[in-house]
Amino acid sequence: MNAHRPLVPSRVASPGRRRLVAAGALAWLGVPPAARANAGVGPVMPAVAAPALPLRRHDGAAPTLAAQLRGAPTAVQLMFTGCSTVCPIQGALFSALQAALLAERDAAARLLSLSIDPLADDPAALSGWLRRFGARPTWSAAAPAPEALDPMLSLFKGGAAAGDRHTGQVYLFDRHARLVWRTSELPPAAEVMAALRRVA
């Protein structure tokens, strides 16, 4: 089993029907076409507004993705708590990033770990993830509703939701909940900090 691909419900359908269903879900959940056509590293142009995808946070709250991101620049990573390969490295990266943000007293950025395994990552699992890496209040964790997983991945990965669902990139949103920057794979904390300064 690929350690980067959590188990998700499978549906038996023809490729054409799957494409139609996916397109309908994206339209219904409000993921704009621009989000599916703008992958890569660096600035996202034009910026893409986060849709109102339903989330469940580590504390049991249930905001939408857009509401969770609104109000301050936010660095987002995709992970899942059952991962034993890349995800611990990502957790350590956010821990280092958190320390760098705390050292800059005027930095108002937030961190968000978003699970790609909504069936397994309930609030207890997400809370354990945050405790494991010493998260402070400005670092949250959440998982999408199962039906929102593919639209969420389409937003972050520019339409590449199929195949390996995991990535080591960090995604930066401005205070208006718009995706504005994608980092390299498993970037150093200094790269993310520099991008956050540009976003702020």
Side-chain angles (χ1 to χ4, degrees):
M1 180 183 296
N2 186 341
H4 301 292
R5 294 182 70 183
L7 296 176
V8 294
S10 61
R11 296 178 178 87
V12 178
S14 69
R17 179 170 172 75
R18 283 196 299 270
R19 282 192 296 272
L20 285 173
V21 171
L26 289 168
W28 182 74
L29 289 165
V31 178
R36 304 191 296 277
N38 194 355
V41 174
V44 177
M45 300 176 63
V48 180
L53 301 176
L55 300 180
R56 176 68 67 184
R57 287 177 22 134
H58 67 278
D59 57 4
T64 65
L65 178 61
Q68 177 66 34
L69 295 170
R70 198 172 293 118
T74 305
V76 179
Q77 63 182 191
L78 301 180
M79 44 62 74
F80 62 104
T81 63
C83 171
S84 59
T85 54
V86 175
C87 296
I89 299 171
Q90 292 176 277
L93 164 63
F94 263 32
S95 183
L97 185 57
Q98 176 178 249
L101 288 168
L102 289 171
E104 293 192 6
R105 298 183 184 276
D106 59 341
R110 299 182 300 209
L111 308 178
L112 175 62
S113 296
L114 266 183
S115 173
I116 60 172
D117 190 0
L119 297 182
D121 283 343
D122 59 11
L126 294 169
S127 293
W129 166 268
L130 293 175
R131 283 194 303 273
R132 178 179 177 186
F133 295 103
R136 300 289 186 92
T138 53
W139 181 358
S140 300
E147 68 274 10
L149 177 60
D150 281 343
M152 184 187 82
L153 291 173
S154 183
L155 167 69
F156 287 102
K157 301 178 74 176
D164 193 342
R165 293 168 174 260
H166 204 188
T167 174
Q169 287 183 285
V170 176
Y171 304 88
L172 303 184
F173 288 77
D174 65 15
R175 66 184 68 254
H176 305 292
R178 298 178 301 190
L179 176 61
V180 295
W181 194 274
R182 293 182 177 95
T183 71
S184 60
E185 285 283 324
L186 295 175
E191 178 187 333
V192 185
M193 281 294 294
L196 277 171
R197 291 187 189 103
R198 284 192 290 270
V199 171

